[in-house]
């Protein structure tokens, strides 16, 4: 007695089990978070080191290389990426996936601490943190006020908005865009300072010593104990003007004698505009592992409370990943419902019995609900890949039930009672059902166990598919027989004669069995021709998606001011205004952005971005078409270089050139950038090759400086404080009721624009104050604006937007360029970004397919206890691949991640169909003694109907996805097209070709058996 017959005799445990599993699944579904893609738990560490005012070349030598050499000794380190800009070094350390994030963080901190004493003393305390927040903002908002000015609104965002949103569960980071920072500026007059013998350094340090609060000491007055506190602060900035500043030697001056005090805002470094109007923007980032939609809902509720408290505040949602994630979730769920409904309708069309249809349809919810429970237990989320796994197995889930119900119906037609028919049918079909399910498990399991980043992506996909398929087997073996017994009737339908379609099919089967060589030759020709089309199918990584918004990033030449950048941003906005489909344009100048993966580049005033919020999808053209129109419009804007896209997969190709020879690296990058412009639809070709920025270089006269007791450190400190102020941590502070303002001492902007004023800056020497020009030479020169390093070598990234071209074609064309072929030996080409991921993906999927094929063969050998007939079953796989290739070529698809998923899925589906044929033919020969020819014809007669039913059901489930109905189906569509093409070819051909292969394999098996018996007889005769 097997499990199925046991459940027929004991239905209550089976029913109770699935009631409990269904409740667990509903609970799990409610707890599952909604995301666009699974969180990548990559062990990554970000190190930030700041030395305000230091040039990139100086930071590379004195800071970056020392820290890189220290962390390079850490175990499990994979790559080091370094970005060096004015005063800032950012190092991204990427570790292998097996490394624990906590261990990586601890070891990296220790490595930085080891070289801390070797770094310049002016380097601020290093920041070492783990990457726990994704690089793309979850939501971007713009906020405006009808009564607050820019400074007040900036503080409102920094204080009220940031504090309110920090209480939202799952919020990882808050970032303001645009706005200003209030500070007290003490603008010193160089002439008055020189007349009084004072330097800007003296004023700044004296203010720091005077304007402060000090605690310490203890008093005992009135038999009670009191603490002592020294309060030497003013209550408002205007009081600072009259403050006497002690200068030493018994001298002092009032601050107003040498400077002008203003309560104003700091030098502007950011600008934010919405449709050309000034606003303040802010980004919110989701912490890993949290539901995007719940975070967005919490943020929206918090902002709504703020607006209710202050109606003058208006908040506008600019962009974010939440809408796309929610749209993908709703679209996938809709596809799931539609696919299930179509599959059920197909079952009813074939069976024409609502009772049998109900039994088959029950397999869908009863298989999917337990899957939700397991997904929650494993910590998965409802994302694009897990929902895709459920969508593609919709047709499969009902397969086992279809086969069993169809077999039960056939036994009922033979005059048996429903109970007896169910017992006999499920017992007869047991091996085939178990074999088909385990085959699918063997196919999907390798995708869940792939290595690398690709494996992290598809872990959730593979396990979701495996759990759903195993749940369908449990339903088929435990519950389907019970439901059949209770729902089906004992009406004995007389066996209907074969229709013309079945008669024609059986004639074709007999024809192929009598012309085996011709049949096999034609099938082989079909496969060879289809494989010959593979080079014609472009290779890609992930199709570009329609997210409802895109980004235009622009960069001006080094030395450009924020006014120049704002002027270019406005020119871009005006140029894009006529482009149809754009709803809002949000401008952010000076904001940071993602560069080289997870590394966040600090903002520069010469850079900025425009976020283009698109209209609803049904009111506009596709995002690809809008982006093409944007590229055309950007050609009319001069003075900057542009890049388009949000940085998602499928948008651009990135190539890294790495070398220690800076001139050769720069020349190679320029040559590659030039040659790439001749390739196809590639556009906005840019590189990170460091541009020369203007510098004022001060070279001390060592002899003269030494005679006057002046050091290079003193010169640098005096010039720095006079032109930009002291370090933020060294500034004197003005304490207000709700915040603390920095008091910055420096010259006025007009003085910084005059080289003569800079030359006359006074330096304190042993003989009093001397002009800077007397101990140093000032000249104009050029230096690197930014330096990038990869694995401790300088590198340049060359980016090109694909513009509809496949990534594989672009890479092939790029490698054939003269700039690559004639590259100097010291320069190395490295594929990164999508190109690196595509190469890893191709290797991972190729290995997964081979592993799956081997696992399927092993499962079939164990189940059939035969090494030969599994080869017959696997013969249908090449026929399915041929159909998939043809379908992709006809529809203009790519060989990318979704289509690879389709190919893996096909391996399991077509194997199921072959198992049904082969298993029945073997059973007919074994139990009824039929000849090979008769057994094959009978197997085709009995199994063609369920094979056609399951195939049509699966095609019906895939059809809405293939047609791209509903939300953005760019990711799911290639998979559905590959599956439908493979199903059509494999079903039509395997019903004819598999019986022919069976005869050859069976003949080979019998021939080897005869040789073995003859060998035994010969040995026995010799003995």
């Amino acid at each position: 007695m097997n499990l199925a017959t046991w459940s027929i005799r004991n239905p209550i445990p089976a029913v109770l089990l699935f009631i409990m599993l269904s409740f667990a699944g509903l609970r799990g579904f409610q707890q599952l978070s909604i995301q666009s893609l699974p969180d990548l738990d990559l062990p990554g560490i970000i190190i930030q080191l700041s030395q305000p005012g230091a040039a990139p070349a100086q930071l590379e030598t004195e800071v970056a290389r020392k820290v890189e050499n220290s962390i390079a000794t850490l175990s499990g380190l994979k790559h080091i990426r370094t970005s060096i800009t004015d005063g800032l070094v950012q190092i991204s350390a990427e570790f292998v996936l097996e490394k624990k994030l906590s261990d990586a963080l601890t070891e990296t901190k220790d490595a930085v601490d080891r070289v801390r004493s070797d770094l310049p003393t002016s380097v601020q305390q290093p920041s070492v943190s783990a990457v726990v927040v994704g690089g793309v903002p979850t939501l971007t908002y713009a906020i405006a006020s009808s009564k607050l000015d820019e400074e007040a609104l900036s503080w409102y965002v920094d204080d009220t908005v940031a504090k309110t949103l920090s209480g939202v569960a799952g919020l990882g980071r808050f970032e303001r865009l645009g706005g200003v920072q209030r500070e007290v500026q003490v603008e010193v007059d160089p002439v008055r300072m020189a007349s009084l013998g004072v330097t800007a350094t003296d004023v700044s340090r004296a203010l720091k010593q005077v304007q402060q609060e000090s605690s310490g000491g203890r008093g005992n007055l009135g038999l009670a104990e009191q603490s002592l506190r020294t309060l030497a602060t003013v209550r408002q900035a205007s009081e600072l003007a009259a403050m006497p500043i002690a200068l030493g030697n018994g001298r002092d001056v009032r601050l107003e004698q040498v400077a002008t005090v203003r309560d104003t805002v700091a030098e502007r470094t950011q600008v934010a505009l919405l449709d050309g109007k000034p606003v303040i923007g802010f980004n919110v980032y989701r912490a890993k592992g949290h539901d995007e939609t719940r975070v967005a809902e919490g943020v929206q509720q918090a902002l709504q409370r703020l607006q209710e408290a202050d109606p003058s505040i208006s908040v506008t949602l600019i962009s974010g990943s939440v809408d796309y994630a929610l749209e993908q979730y709703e679209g996938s769920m809709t596809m799931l419902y539609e696919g299930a409904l179509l599959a059920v309708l197909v079952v009813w069309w074939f069976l024409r019995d609502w009772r049998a249809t109900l039994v088959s349809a029950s397999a869908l919810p009863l298989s999917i609900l337990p899957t939700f429970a397991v997904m929650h237990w494993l910590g998965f989320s409802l994302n694009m890949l897990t929902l895709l796994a459920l969508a593609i197995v919709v047709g499969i889930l009902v397969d086992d039930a279809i086969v069993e119900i169809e077999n039960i119906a056939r036994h009922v037609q033979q005059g048996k009672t429903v109970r007896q028919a169910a017992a006999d049918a499920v017992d007869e079909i047991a091996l085939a059902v178990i074999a088909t399910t385990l085959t699918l498990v063997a196919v999907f399991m390798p995708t869940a166990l792939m290595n690398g980043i690709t494996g992290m992506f598809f872990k959730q996909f593979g396990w979701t598919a495996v759990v759903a398929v195993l749940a369908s087997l449990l339903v088929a073996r435990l519950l389907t027989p019970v439901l059949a017994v209770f729902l089906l009737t004992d009406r004995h339908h007389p066996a209907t004669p074969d229709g013309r379609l079945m008669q024609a099919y059986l004639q074709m089967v007999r024809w192929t069995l009598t012309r085996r060589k011709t049949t096999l030759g034609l099938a082989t020709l079909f496969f060879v021709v289809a494989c010959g089309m593979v080079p014609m199918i472009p290779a890609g990584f992930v199709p570009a998606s329609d997210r409802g918004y895109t980004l235009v990033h622009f960069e001006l030449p080094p030395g450009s001011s924020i006014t120049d950048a704002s002027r270019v941003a406005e020119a871009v906005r005006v140029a894009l205004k006529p482009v149809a489909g754009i709803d809002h344009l949000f401008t952010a100048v000076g904001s940071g952005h993602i560069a080289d993966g997870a590394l966040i580049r600090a903002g520069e005033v010469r850079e900025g971005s425009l976020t283009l919020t698109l209209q609803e999808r049904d009111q506009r053209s596709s995002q690809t078409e809008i982006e093409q129109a944007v590229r055309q419009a950007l050609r009319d804007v001069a003075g900057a270089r542009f890049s388009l896209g949000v940085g998602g997969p499928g948008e651009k190709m990135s190539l890294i050139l790495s070398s220690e020879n800076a001139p050769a690296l720069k020349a190679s990058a320029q040559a590659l950038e030039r040659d790439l412009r001749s390739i196809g639809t590639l556009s906005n070709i840019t590189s990170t090759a460091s541009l020369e920025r203007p510098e004022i270089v001060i070279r001390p006269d060592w002899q003269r400086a030494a005679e006057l007791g002046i050091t290079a450190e003193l010169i640098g400190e005096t010039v720095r404080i006079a032109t930009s102020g002291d370090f933020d941590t060294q500034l004197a502070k003005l304490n207000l009721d709700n915040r603390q303002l920095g008091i910055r001492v420096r010259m006025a902007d007009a003085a910084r624009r005059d080289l003569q004023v800079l030359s006359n800056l006074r330096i304190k020497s042993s003989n009093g104050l001397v002009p800077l020009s007397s101990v140093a030479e000032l000249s104009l020169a050029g230096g690197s604006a930014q330096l990038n390093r990869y694995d401790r070598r300088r590198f340049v990234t060359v980016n090109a937007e694909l513009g509809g071209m496949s990534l594989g074609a672009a890479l092939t064309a790029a490698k054939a360029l003269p700039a690559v072929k004639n590259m100097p030996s010291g320069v190395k080409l490295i594929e990164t970004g999508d190109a690196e991921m595509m190469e890893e993906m191709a290797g991972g999927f190729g290995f997964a397919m081979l592993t799956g094929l081997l696992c399927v063969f092993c499962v079939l050998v164990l189940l059939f206890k035969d090494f030969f007939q599994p080869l017959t079953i696997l013969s249908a796989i090449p026929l399915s691949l041929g159909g998939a290739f043809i379908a992709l070529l006809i529809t203009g698809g790519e060989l990318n991640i979704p289509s690879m998923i389709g190919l893996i899925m096909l391996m399991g589906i077509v194997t199921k169909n072959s198992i049904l044929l082969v298993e029945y033919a073997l059973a007919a020969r074994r139990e009824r003694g039929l000849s090979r020819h008769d057994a094959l014809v009978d197997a085709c007669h009995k199994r063609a109907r369920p094979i056609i039913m399951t195939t049509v059901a699966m095609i019906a489930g895939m059809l809405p996805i293939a047609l791209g109905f509903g939300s953005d189906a760019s990711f799911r569509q290639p998979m559905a097209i590959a599956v439908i093409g493979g199903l059509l070819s494999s079903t039509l051909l395997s019903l004819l070709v598999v019986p022919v292969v069976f005869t050859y394999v069976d003949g080979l098996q019998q021939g080897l058996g005869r040789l073995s018996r003859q060998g035994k007889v010969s040995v026995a005769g010799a003995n």
Side-chain angles (χ1 to χ4, degrees):
M1 182 175 64
N2 57 34
L3 200 61
T5 54
W6 175 86
S7 67
I8 293 174
R9 297 180 183 179
N10 303 277
I12 292 179
V15 172
L16 186 60
L17 171 66
F18 280 95
I19 290 175
M20 295 174 63
L21 288 176
S22 298
F23 276 114
L26 290 171
R27 178 61 178 167
F29 179 76
Q30 293 175 344
Q31 298 296 315
L32 287 171
S33 61
I34 299 173
Q35 298 172 200
S36 294
L37 289 170
D39 283 329
L40 292 183
D41 225 354
L42 296 173
I45 306 296
I46 296 292
I47 305 153
Q48 291 189 346
L49 302 107
S50 178
Q51 186 181 2
Q58 174 189 351
L59 289 172
E60 180 184 35
T61 303
E62 298 181 356
V63 178
R65 286 179 175 171
K66 294 178 181 179
V67 177
E68 287 176 347
N69 292 337
S70 180
I71 64 177
T73 60
L74 301 181
S75 62
L77 184 67
K78 189 176 180 182
H79 292 300
I80 302 174
R81 293 176 183 265
T82 305
S83 174
I84 309 172
T85 54
D86 268 342
L88 182 65
V89 176
Q90 291 192 99
I91 302 175
S92 171
E94 179 187 346
F95 291 83
V96 296
L97 300 179
E98 295 76 18
K99 186 84 171 182
K100 287 185 178 180
L101 185 60
S102 57
D103 293 344
L105 181 61
T106 302
E107 293 175 13
T108 305
K109 284 183 176 179
D110 292 341
V112 175
D113 289 341
R114 284 198 297 269
V115 295
R116 182 70 179 91
S117 59
D118 295 335
L119 303 180
T121 55
S122 56
V123 173
Q124 298 178 6
Q125 182 65 30
S127 168
V128 183
S129 58
V131 179
V132 294
V133 178
V136 178
T138 305
L139 293 167
T140 299
Y141 285 93
I143 185 170
S145 172
S146 59
K147 67 178 185 180
L148 297 178
D149 61 15
E150 188 177 22
E151 187 279 322
L153 184 59
S154 299
W155 173 244
Y156 178 82
V157 171
D158 289 341
D159 183 53
T160 306
V161 177
K163 287 179 180 177
T164 302
L165 295 187
S166 64
V168 176
L171 192 72
R173 184 159 63 95
F174 179 90
E175 175 185 57
R176 171 162 64 86
L177 305 174
V180 291
Q181 191 76 29
R182 183 181 171 186
E183 74 174 14
V184 177
Q185 290 185 358
V186 179
E187 292 186 353
V188 292
D189 186 325
V191 176
R192 283 190 281 172
M193 285 195 303
S195 64
L196 293 172
V198 180
T199 67
T201 304
D202 294 333
V203 175
S204 181
R205 297 293 159 81
L207 271 175
K208 173 68 174 176
Q209 293 172 359
V210 173
Q211 178 67 19
Q212 62 176 281
E213 296 182 5
S214 302
S215 300
R218 197 176 301 261
N220 292 282
L221 302 179
L223 302 179
E225 187 175 276
Q226 300 87 25
S227 62
L228 298 179
R229 187 157 62 102
T230 304
L231 300 179
T233 59
V234 296
R235 283 185 292 238
Q236 55 187 3
S238 59
E239 298 177 19
L240 288 172
M243 179 176 288
I245 304 296
L247 301 178
N249 300 324
R251 297 188 304 129
D252 68 85
V253 296
R254 292 194 312 277
L255 190 59
E256 62 186 0
Q257 291 181 263
V258 294
T260 302
V261 179
R262 294 190 303 148
D263 186 348
T264 180
V265 295
E267 187 176 5
R268 183 183 291 276
T269 59
Q270 291 190 32
V271 173
L273 304 168
L274 179 61
D275 297 327
K277 298 177 181 178
V279 293
I280 308 294
F282 59 89
N283 290 329
V284 292
Y285 296 81
R286 171 185 63 88
K288 288 185 177 181
H290 289 269
D291 189 329
E292 292 184 23
T293 59
R294 290 173 187 162
V295 171
E297 185 179 352
V299 169
Q300 185 61 37
Q301 291 175 354
L303 292 177
Q304 189 173 355
R305 290 195 298 270
L306 291 177
Q307 287 181 280
E308 291 173 354
D310 187 354
S312 67
I313 299 295
S314 62
V315 181
T316 305
L317 175 63
I318 303 300
S319 63
S321 60
V322 178
D323 286 344
Y324 184 75
L326 195 58
E327 185 182 61
Q328 288 299 302
Y329 163 74
E330 293 173 349
S332 297
M333 293 301 292
T334 301
M335 295 299 118
L336 194 63
Y337 299 145
E338 292 176 354
L341 179 61
L342 288 172
V344 171
L345 289 176
V346 168
V347 174
W348 177 82
W349 178 262
F350 277 93
L351 297 179
R352 299 299 176 94
D353 185 341
W354 70 268
R355 296 173 182 270
T357 303
L358 181 62
V359 174
S360 300
S362 64
L364 286 171
L366 293 175
S367 300
I368 291 178
L369 287 176
T371 305
F372 288 140
V374 177
M375 287 171 61
H376 175 60
W377 178 63
L378 292 175
F380 293 174
S381 63
L382 290 171
N383 55 65
M384 191 185 300
L385 292 176
T386 53
L387 291 172
L388 180 63
L390 294 175
I392 65 178
V393 298
V394 160
I396 297 175
L397 296 181
V398 78
D399 272 7
D400 295 338
I402 287 176
V403 172
E404 290 196 344
I405 288 299
E406 195 275 340
N407 209 33
I408 292 171
R410 188 167 55 81
H411 278 268
V412 169
Q413 289 178 351
Q414 296 174 4
K416 300 178 182 178
T417 64
V418 172
R419 180 176 290 273
Q420 186 60 43
D424 294 345
V426 296
D427 186 56
E428 178 184 84
I429 206 73
L431 179 60
V433 170
I434 294 173
T436 55
T437 302
L438 294 183
T439 296
L440 285 166
V441 171
V443 166
F444 285 117
M445 185 70 78
T447 64
L449 302 176
M450 284 193 296
N451 295 322
I453 296 178
T454 309
M456 294 186 69
F457 263 117
F458 287 94
K459 173 185 176 182
Q460 296 194 19
F461 168 84
W463 281 115
T464 300
V466 166
V467 171
V469 170
L470 288 175
S472 73
L473 174 63
L474 196 64
V475 172
R477 302 308 297 161
L478 277 180
L479 202 61
T480 300
V482 174
L483 294 177
V485 168
F486 284 96
L487 290 179
L488 298 185
T489 63
D490 289 329
R491 289 182 299 171
H492 300 154
H493 300 282
T496 57
D498 294 332
R500 277 186 283 181
L501 202 59
M502 178 61 76
Q503 292 176 7
Y505 165 63
L506 293 177
Q507 287 179 359
M508 293 177 66
V509 170
R510 295 187 182 97
W511 183 89
T512 56
L513 289 175
T514 56
R515 294 169 177 80
R516 298 186 302 164
K517 292 182 179 179
T518 303
T519 304
L520 202 58
L522 290 174
T524 304
L525 179 64
F526 168 79
F527 177 67
V528 171
V529 171
C531 289
M533 297 180 180
V534 173
M536 302 167 63
I537 304 174
F541 177 52
V542 174
S545 57
D546 190 334
R547 293 180 172 268
Y549 75 98
T550 189
L551 204 68
V552 176
H553 181 78
F554 64 88
E555 179 182 3
L556 274 66
S560 302
S561 66
I562 194 168
T563 304
D564 299 329
S566 300
R567 190 181 303 115
V568 169
E570 182 62 15
V572 172
R573 187 189 70 83
V574 173
L576 298 183
K577 198 171 182 180
V579 177
I582 299 177
D583 200 8
H584 291 295
L585 284 135
F586 174 73
T587 304
V589 177
S591 58
H593 65 281
I594 302 302
D596 302 316
L599 193 61
I600 301 177
R601 269 188 52 186
E604 294 189 55
V605 295
R606 65 186 181 91
E607 297 181 1
S609 62
L610 283 88
T611 303
L612 280 56
T613 306
L614 306 183
Q615 296 174 351
E616 295 296 329
R617 188 172 287 108
D618 55 355
Q619 301 175 5
R620 59 172 169 84
S621 305
S622 68
Q623 183 168 327
T624 303
E625 294 174 349
I626 293 176
E627 288 178 345
Q628 191 60 38
V630 169
R631 291 188 183 96
Q632 294 291 335
L634 290 176
R635 293 179 179 179
D636 300 329
V637 182
R641 58 184 183 185
F642 301 94
S643 62
L644 185 63
V646 296
E651 291 180 356
K652 66 181 182 180
M653 172 182 67
S654 297
L655 300 172
I656 280 182
L657 300 180
S658 175
S659 176
E660 285 293 349
N661 188 336
L665 177 62
K666 186 174 181 179
S668 298
Q670 291 173 344
L672 178 58
E673 189 177 351
R674 182 180 61 251
D675 289 356
L676 281 174
R677 292 189 172 90
S678 63
I679 297 179
T681 61
L682 296 184
S683 61
N684 287 337
I685 298 164
T686 59
S687 75
T688 59
S690 181
L691 299 174
E692 292 292 315
R693 64 165 187 177
E695 289 183 336
I696 300 175
V697 178
I698 302 173
R699 298 187 183 280
D701 182 337
W702 300 119
Q703 183 64 38
R704 178 67 176 153
E707 292 174 355
L708 296 172
I710 297 174
T711 63
E713 181 181 6
L714 178 61
I715 294 175
E717 182 182 52
T718 302
V719 172
R720 171 174 52 79
I721 294 178
T723 55
S724 63
D726 209 340
F727 298 134
D728 289 347
T729 56
Q730 298 297 323
L731 294 179
K733 299 294 191 296
L734 175 65
N735 296 327
L736 302 180
D737 292 338
N738 56 353
R739 56 174 155 166
Q740 196 176 56
L741 303 182
I743 303 175
R744 187 176 301 277
V745 176
R746 66 175 180 87
M747 295 189 301
D749 292 341
R752 296 191 300 170
R753 291 193 287 265
D754 191 337
L755 187 60
Q756 186 63 35
V757 173
L758 296 178
S759 300
N760 288 328
L761 274 177
R762 294 305 195 257
I763 307 295
K764 186 169 287 188
S765 70
S766 57
N767 295 331
L769 299 185
V770 298
L772 175 61
S773 58
S774 67
V775 293
E777 177 186 355
L778 280 72
S779 61
L780 292 174
S784 298
Q786 176 185 345
L787 296 176
N788 297 308
R789 294 169 61 82
Y790 182 80
D791 289 343
R792 295 188 290 171
R793 290 161 57 100
R794 282 196 184 183
F795 81 92
V796 172
T797 302
V798 180
N799 297 313
E801 294 173 16
L802 296 175
M805 191 177 187
S806 71
L807 180 59
L811 279 173
T812 303
K815 291 178 180 178
L817 293 173
V820 176
K821 290 186 174 181
N822 302 326
M823 196 172 289
S825 58
V827 181
K828 183 181 178 183
L829 175 66
I830 304 172
E831 297 174 6
T832 186
D834 286 1
E836 183 182 16
M837 289 281 287
M838 186 182 75
E839 186 175 347
E840 183 180 333
M841 177 270 298
F845 270 104
F847 183 75
M849 292 179 74
L850 290 176
T851 305
L853 201 61
L854 180 62
C855 291
V856 169
F857 179 76
C858 294
V859 168
L860 294 176
V861 168
L862 291 173
L863 291 174
F864 285 92
K865 300 177 182 178
D866 186 353
F867 279 93
F868 290 92
Q869 289 309 330
L871 298 175
T872 304
I873 295 170
L874 297 178
S875 65
I877 292 179
L879 303 177
S880 67
L881 298 180
F885 294 151
I886 293 174
L888 288 173
L889 187 63
I890 292 174
T891 57
E894 297 180 351
L895 272 177
N896 48 29
I897 283 184
S899 55
M900 290 279 193
I901 293 174
L903 296 181
I904 289 179
M905 179 183 174
L906 278 174
M907 291 171 54
I909 296 172
V910 301
T911 304
K912 290 187 69 170
N913 295 340
S914 297
I915 288 173
L916 292 176
L917 278 176
V918 173
E919 190 274 337
Y920 192 91
L922 292 174
R925 294 181 67 186
R926 181 177 61 252
E927 297 172 5
R928 289 186 284 159
L930 297 180
S931 65
R932 183 172 66 190
H933 181 277
D934 292 341
L936 286 171
V937 173
D938 191 42
C940 291
H941 185 208
K942 298 295 193 303
R943 291 289 180 251
R945 188 174 180 229
I947 288 175
I948 295 293
M949 286 174 63
T950 56
T951 300
V952 175
M954 279 182 281
I955 291 177
M958 293 284 106
L959 201 57
I961 303 176
L963 295 176
F965 290 158
S967 61
D968 177 35
S970 56
F971 188 87
R972 302 184 296 267
Q973 200 168 22
M975 177 273 301
I977 290 172
V979 169
I980 290 176
L983 278 175
L984 289 173
S985 66
S986 66
T987 303
L988 294 176
L989 295 177
S990 62
L991 285 173
L992 299 174
V993 177
V994 169
V996 173
V997 176
F998 183 97
T999 61
Y1000 279 109
V1001 173
D1002 186 64
L1004 175 64
Q1005 186 176 13
Q1006 292 181 2
L1008 291 176
R1010 286 194 298 269
L1011 287 175
S1012 177
R1013 287 192 295 271
Q1014 289 175 2
K1016 291 180 181 179
V1017 171
S1018 299
V1019 172
N1023 292 335

